[in-house]
Amino acid sequence: MGRKVMQKKIRAILLTTELSFDDLYSSVSSRGVTLSDKLRSNEGCTVSMVGFMAPPLTPTINFFVLTREPMSICPFCGSDADWPTDIVVVKLDNPVTALPFDSPIRVTGTLELGSEVDAETGFVSLVRIKASSLEAM
């Protein structure tokens, strides 16, 4: 690997903020959630997060739900009562084949915040990462 390529990778790592599911919200109540200061201050920045790919509707996907704990069922297939409150939607530029739902993955990409409705599925998200890389761990 060339020196310039290595420098570029090191710079990307140094400028990446590691987020955890505990960093998502400063409060959760019956009135909704409040995004944390750490989350809001990293909007538009490169972040990295470790979690589990929830089972998708189809084997090839262009987005998925990242969860704190592995889920054994597709989150779209149950009621909203089955949904975890701390999820992150991961948007992909190119479709990928779903990864095993019981193995952790690291997602790195640009953090997006605010309510957004997926035009194709009607799925509503509040926290998203536009992925630049996925890494099975």
Side-chain angles (χ1 to χ4, degrees):
M1 182 179 309
R3 181 180 170 132
K4 288 191 180 213
V5 171
M6 182 61 81
Q7 287 174 334
K8 187 175 180 180
K9 286 187 176 200
I10 290 171
R11 180 176 295 148
I13 291 169
L14 293 175
L15 297 176
T16 300
T17 300
E18 184 70 30
L19 294 177
S20 73
F21 285 93
D22 291 333
D23 294 326
L24 297 181
Y25 309 116
S26 58
S27 69
V28 178
S29 71
S30 60
R31 294 180 181 215
V33 297
T34 302
L35 299 176
S36 73
D37 290 339
K38 182 174 183 179
L39 202 66
R40 287 184 288 129
S41 68
N42 281 287
E43 183 176 10
C45 297
T46 301
V47 298
S48 182
M49 195 166 187
V50 174
F52 296 86
M53 180 184 285
L57 286 171
T58 61
T60 303
I61 53 175
N62 61 1
F63 82 93
F64 65 89
V65 175
L66 190 71
T67 62
R68 179 190 300 257
E69 301 292 332
M71 295 184 70
S72 60
I73 60 166
C74 159
F76 305 105
C77 302
S79 73
D80 57 358
D82 298 331
W83 277 77
T85 56
D86 50 357
I87 62 169
V88 174
V89 170
V90 177
K91 297 177 359 182
L92 307 165
D93 283 334
N94 299 308
V96 298
T97 301
L99 299 170
F101 70 88
D102 58 347
S103 298
I105 59 172
R106 176 178 302 281
V107 175
T108 302
T110 305
L111 181 64
E112 299 177 350
L113 302 176
S115 185
E116 181 178 282
V117 178
D118 181 76
E120 194 174 313
T121 64
F123 183 71
V124 180
S125 62
L126 183 60
V127 179
R128 294 165 304 284
I129 297 175
K130 185 168 174 32
S132 57
S133 71
L134 300 177
E135 175 189 355
M137 300 185 70

